[in-house]
Amino acid sequence: MAVWVNARVKKVSDWTDSLFSLTVTAPIDPFTAGQYAKLALEIEGERVVRAYSYVNAPGNADLEFYLVTVPQGKLSPRLHGLQPGDEVMITADAQGFFVIDEVPPCETLWMLATGTAIGPYLSILQEGKGLARFKNIVLVHAARYARDLSYLPMMERLQQRYGGQLQIHTVVSREETAGSLTGRVPALIENGRLEAVTGLKMDAENSHVMLCGNPQMVRDTQQLLKESRGMRKHLKRKPGHMTSEHYW
């Protein structure tokens, strides 16, 4: 059974009308980069709960979450309206297996995200633990519009930190933007444009693909890689080439 503790809001950062980051402090248990916690508020006598991945690295006392406001949602608009000093409930223990220790050996690690699902990768990369075993890491953040690429400055700083080991690429689906690929992630894999811009192959022999975000993107990409590249889902009992987490 989950143990709930009170978290105090430190900051609410507005990126767009609907995208924001919530930073809190709380006496949580240690977590592994890539995991998620549950946040909750009491609303009209009901505890409304949702799961959100940590953006911050483990060990950072500022607990950061990247959220989208769902206009008719029960919780996200209330979280968006919080002010510094307000309280929100958080689970003391984190959950999830979308972590680097679960990734089998490979030469190139692909980190593909849509929308707010960039969070787990930022936590993993900020910590840096367990990444030296990969020759190449490719971080791809896909969004509808360029203004939705909230963490691009952090991604660019991480690229500098990792030198030639880490590439970052952005994908925008609803407009053409300088410096970004245009379209949907599965299509950019199918037509070869993503591999062309990276100079790397996404194959079963040398790659592992982490997928996090829109369930349709995850399903379509998995199916494409299964049919065209011979890749399969990674399971503990049967190592594979794809690890995924649906983000709603």
Side-chain angles (χ1 to χ4, degrees):
M1 189 172 181
V3 176
W4 292 89
V5 297
N6 288 328
R8 188 169 297 277
V9 176
K10 184 173 182 178
K11 181 171 59 173
V12 179
S13 303
D14 289 310
W15 300 108
T16 67
D17 290 344
S18 60
L19 291 169
F20 68 101
S21 295
L22 178 67
T23 304
V24 304
T25 57
I28 63 167
D29 298 331
F31 71 92
T32 302
Q35 289 189 309
Y36 62 87
K38 293 180 180 178
L39 302 180
L41 289 172
E42 292 287 344
I43 302 173
E44 298 177 353
E46 175 190 4
R47 179 177 292 182
V48 182
V49 181
R50 298 290 185 271
Y52 299 103
S53 294
Y54 287 103
V55 174
N56 59 289
N60 187 339
D62 290 341
L63 310 177
E64 186 173 351
F65 303 92
Y66 184 35
L67 294 81
V68 60
T69 302
V70 180
Q72 305 304 319
K74 283 189 174 182
L75 186 61
S76 59
R78 302 291 186 101
L79 293 176
H80 196 184
L82 293 174
Q83 299 295 319
D86 289 344
E87 289 191 344
V88 59
M89 288 176 284
I90 186 172
T91 47
D93 56 325
Q95 295 178 289
F97 298 97
F98 198 71
V99 298
I100 287 300
D101 286 349
E102 296 292 326
V103 176
C106 67
E107 184 173 289
T108 300
L109 177 63
W110 298 81
M111 298 176 161
L112 310 183
T114 59
T116 55
I118 190 68
Y121 298 128
L122 297 178
S123 180
I124 290 167
L125 289 166
Q126 286 184 90
E127 182 184 42
K129 184 178 178 181
L131 296 178
R133 62 190 173 104
F134 305 110
K135 181 179 179 181
N136 308 297
I137 302 172
V138 181
L139 175 62
V140 177
H141 187 198
R144 292 177 300 172
Y145 301 100
R147 63 177 178 269
D148 299 331
L149 300 170
S150 311
Y151 283 91
L152 181 56
M154 178 185 287
M155 292 168 61
E156 292 172 339
R157 291 194 298 271
L158 287 166
Q159 182 173 236
Q160 291 181 339
R161 170 181 156 186
Y162 282 88
Q165 183 190 18
L166 173 65
Q167 293 186 37
I168 63 166
H169 297 280
T170 55
V171 177
V172 176
S173 63
R174 298 192 181 180
E175 63 183 4
E176 292 195 7
T177 303
S180 293
L181 293 167
T182 305
R184 294 183 66 244
V185 170
L188 293 169
I189 296 172
E190 187 173 23
N191 64 26
R193 291 184 63 197
L194 182 57
E195 289 166 299
V197 78
T198 63
L200 299 167
K201 290 289 186 182
M202 189 180 294
D203 57 25
E205 183 178 356
N206 299 303
S207 300
H208 192 89
V209 182
M210 298 181 76
L211 296 156
C212 191
N214 184 312
Q216 193 64 54
M217 181 280 288
V218 173
R219 287 191 294 267
D220 290 350
T221 303
Q222 287 177 329
Q223 189 66 24
L224 171 67
L225 294 177
K226 177 183 177 181
E227 293 176 354
S228 66
R229 312 295 172 94
M231 303 176 87
R232 63 177 180 269
K233 292 182 181 180
H234 176 66
L235 303 171
K236 281 190 174 182
R237 64 182 183 274
K238 188 176 181 181
H241 320 97
M242 297 181 287
T243 301
S244 64
E245 184 151 282
H246 292 191
Y247 222 61
W248 62 75

